[in-house]
Amino acid sequence: GMPDYGEFGRFERLLWAAYLCLALAGLLELWNGVAALSGGEPPWGPDALRHLYLAGFGTLLLLGMAPRMIPGFVGARRVAYPGLVDLSFYLGISAAWGRVAPVALAPFLPEQYPALGTFASYLFGISGGLGWLAVLCLAVNLGVTLKRGRTVAPRMLIC
């Protein structure tokens, strides 16, 4: 019943992005299914879909839910650094799309432009580091929040 005035960061953006990735993965799965049923070759490879599910949906969902839920579990009224939630959003989105775009678009890159393939490889390579930095932002934020301890007295549940 407590209102949210930004004390947990803008975690909603991470949740919206996670579910957008899930919806996109579902649409691409449908596209692949229609292509397979019509006798064609599925255009989207399993690696692109896997990265959409794991890096896009799974990671972004955890990065969005943890800053809102974990402080409540320990009785804290806010996360230590709401700005780190924003940073984890930018890093997490960059990491997810840095994984998905090169793998999904690789079959469609024209062969006469090898620089595009090289750029996609670099983008794929740095996306892992960006993902780890997003997780580090979450770990620092929650670690400091837990270290600061309780700011409210725990309630007793009487059943």
Side-chain angles (χ1 to χ4, degrees), residues 41-104:
E41 184 71 26
W44 306 106
D47 289 338
L49 295 171
R50 183 187 65 215
H51 287 302
L52 260 176
Y53 285 124
L54 297 178
F57 176 65
T59 304
L60 294 175
L61 184 69
L62 290 172
L63 288 173
M65 293 201 55
R68 181 63 180 96
M69 294 182 70
I70 301 299
F73 289 151
V74 298
R77 289 198 175 267
R78 61 187 312 268
V79 292
Y81 306 111
L84 277 181
V85 177
D86 288 339
L87 184 57
S88 67
F89 169 74
Y90 294 119
L91 290 170
I93 287 289
S94 300
W97 288 108
R99 284 276 157 176
V100 172
V103 175

Side-chain angles (χ1 to χ4, degrees), residues 1-5 7-8 68 72 76-78 152 155:
M2 294 187 336
D4 182 6
Y5 296 109
E7 62 267 20
F8 300 103
R68 181 63 180 96
R77 289 198 175 267
R78 61 187 312 268
V152 298
R155 290 189 222 165

Side-chain angles (χ1 to χ4, degrees), residues 102-122:
V103 175
L105 299 177
F108 304 106
L109 292 178
E111 292 181 13
Q112 66 264 28
Y113 300 112
L116 288 175
T118 304
F119 175 73
S121 296
Y122 289 148

Side-chain angles (χ1 to χ4, degrees), residues 2-28:
M2 294 187 336
D4 182 6
Y5 296 109
E7 62 267 20
F8 300 103
R10 293 175 15 194
F11 66 94
E12 302 92 354
R13 295 185 314 163
L14 283 154
L15 299 178
W16 279 104
Y19 282 104
L20 178 67
C21 287
L22 181 64
L24 181 60
L27 289 173
L28 295 181

Side-chain angles (χ1 to χ4, degrees), residues 70-71 74 76-82 84 135-151:
I70 301 299
V74 298
R77 289 198 175 267
R78 61 187 312 268
V79 292
Y81 306 111
L84 277 181
V135 171
L136 180 65
C137 287
L138 176 67
V140 166
N141 210 357
L142 294 181
V144 172
T145 300
L146 294 173
K147 187 177 265 194
R148 287 184 179 173
R150 294 183 180 273
T151 58

